[in-house]
Amino acid sequence: MQTENTIQSVRDILKPTRGAGRIIGLVPTMGALHIGHISLIQAAKEQTDFVVVSIFVNPTQFGPLEDFDNYPRPIDKDIQICEQNGVDLVFAPSVNEMYPAKNITWVEVEKLTEPLCGRSRPGHFRGVATVCTKLFNIVQPDIAFFGQKDAQQAVVIKRMVADLNMPLKIVVCPTVREADGLAVSSRNKYLSQEERKDAPLIYQSLSSAEKLIKSGQRQPEKIIEEVKTVIGRSNLLQIEYIEIVDAETLERITRLSGRILIAVAVKFGSARLIDNILVDAS
Ligand code: AMP
């Protein structure tokens, strides 16, 4: 496995690889790798011939009061995890390598970035779309792999790729969870012991909602109420949003039908966690 920090060296390595007709897979990450990221690497290994993992904590997707400075950066451990999981190339650039000058060119996906996390994180998806575009231009992958954990991100990136005719496919992999249902996240490290104990309520609330839908409930307000009740069993959790939206347009729905996304964002003190489930309500 090779680890590179510069755009030029990644291009130099990938040119002959592409020339030899090998299918290139990219797994974009911010590092602090866990089993969720590993599941994307495994999917990339199954579906492509040469797997690139990018590790870059992207400053342009963090708001001024967010955790950019404190975000975990265990780079040596990350490289070891990539090596153990059969990654071919790690691209771990510095901020200066990715943004040598103040960035003035942005990729802005409209509409899909307004609801859900877009409301409390202005500029977040602009940063995500821009850095993914840069990574796609640097690596030129045939397939890029994203997690359903960040459902809105996956929808935004898919739409960006379609709208801008980017020559790659986006594959979205299922959310990997701890045994108690908590979605695995680099930010789970921020939870205190007590908070960690209550954190599975997030997925429990989504599972209860799904059960309600399966038993015939089609009124979004009733389902949201159920999610609220389950999350409300902890007084450590503060709800930022609970929304039921169309899985593709991310528009709020008044009556459940087709593929819907139930998405929640909660705060535990300073830690902000998100989770979601896709439900077929047809
Ligand atoms: P991050 O490093 O948090 O930016 O995440 C990098 C990629 O890993 C994104 O596509 C995430 O959606 C995905 N990811 C993060 N956590 C999980 C998880 N628990 N299950 C599946 N994919 C995940």
Side-chain angles (χ1 to χ4, degrees):
M1 188 185 84
Q2 285 163 287
T3 301
E4 300 295 338
N5 310 114
T6 69
I7 294 165
Q8 192 55 52
S9 50
V10 167
R11 289 203 164 121
D12 290 345
I13 290 167
L14 290 176
K15 201 170 176 191
T17 308
R18 196 172 301 109
R22 300 176 79 187
I23 305 291
I24 296 170
L26 171 66
V27 180
T29 81
M30 297 205 300
L33 301 181
H34 51 61
I35 51 175
H37 298 113
I38 294 172
S39 75
L40 303 188
I41 293 171
Q42 282 163 350
K45 281 199 67 72
E46 278 162 25
Q47 297 177 47
T48 68
D49 305 319
F50 191 95
V51 177
V52 183
V53 171
S54 61
I55 298 177
F56 181 58
V57 185
N58 173 38
T60 66
Q61 69 188 68
F62 287 78
L65 301 174
E66 293 182 357
D67 56 345
F68 176 71
D69 288 335
N70 297 330
Y71 198 85
R73 291 168 171 83
I75 186 68
D76 293 340
K77 192 169 161 228
D78 286 347
I79 290 171
Q80 201 186 352
I81 289 173
C82 288
E83 178 111 55
Q84 284 163 351
N85 284 280
V87 170
D88 297 290
L89 171 63
V90 170
F91 176 44
S94 64
V95 171
N96 194 49
E97 179 71 8
M98 290 296 276
Y99 298 105
K102 188 171 161 41
N103 207 56
I104 54 169
T105 306
W106 301 100
V107 181
E108 187 109 44
V109 179
E110 296 176 356
K111 275 194 181 312
L112 297 173
T113 55
E114 287 166 13
L116 308 172
C117 293
R119 252 183 229 118
S120 64
R121 303 189 75 188
H124 169 68
F125 289 109
R126 183 181 81 156
V128 170
T130 302
V131 81
C132 284
T133 301
K134 287 163 77 71
L135 290 168
F136 295 167
N137 284 334
I138 294 163
V139 174
Q140 295 176 40
D142 297 280
I143 313 180
F145 296 82
F146 289 84
Q148 178 60 30
K149 159 79 173 35
D150 298 277
Q152 187 173 15
Q153 170 173 281
V155 171
V156 167
I157 296 299
K158 267 190 174 173
R159 183 60 186 259
M160 173 188 86
V161 164
D163 281 357
L164 297 180
N165 307 100
M166 294 180 172
L168 77 155
K169 187 172 132 187
I170 300 298
V171 167
V172 182
C173 302
T175 301
V176 176
R177 301 181 178 282
E178 303 285 2
D180 59 13
L182 176 65
V184 180
S185 164
S186 312
R187 289 189 166 104
N188 292 349
K189 291 187 176 76
Y190 299 151
L191 300 177
S192 69
Q193 252 181 353
E194 276 200 316
E195 291 167 341
R196 177 63 189 83
K197 252 194 243 150
D198 286 356
L201 285 172
I202 305 167
Y203 183 58
Q204 281 168 29
S205 74
L206 294 170
S207 303
S208 289
E210 185 174 20
K211 260 193 218 139
L212 214 54
I213 296 168
K214 297 285 176 214
S215 70
Q217 182 56 260
R218 290 292 180 270
Q219 281 179 278
E221 316 81 64
K222 295 272 191 244
I223 295 155
I224 287 172
E225 222 170 87
E226 173 67 15
V227 176
K228 258 190 201 155
T229 306
V230 177
I231 291 179
R233 286 182 201 145
S234 166
N235 53 16
L236 301 175
L237 272 153
Q238 223 188 317
I239 296 168
E240 182 187 299
Y241 67 72
I242 302 169
E243 294 218 38
I244 303 188
V245 295
D246 179 278
E248 256 125 70
T249 63
L250 304 184
E251 279 168 12
R252 254 188 218 156
I253 44 183
T254 48
R255 193 175 163 75
L256 271 65
S257 71
R259 277 180 78 240
I260 58 145
L261 180 76
I262 311 179
V264 302
V266 300
K267 274 191 164 172
F268 275 106
S270 60
R272 180 179 178 278
L273 302 184
I274 55 170
D275 200 353
N276 68 85
I277 50 166
L278 280 170
V279 185
D280 187 355
S282 48

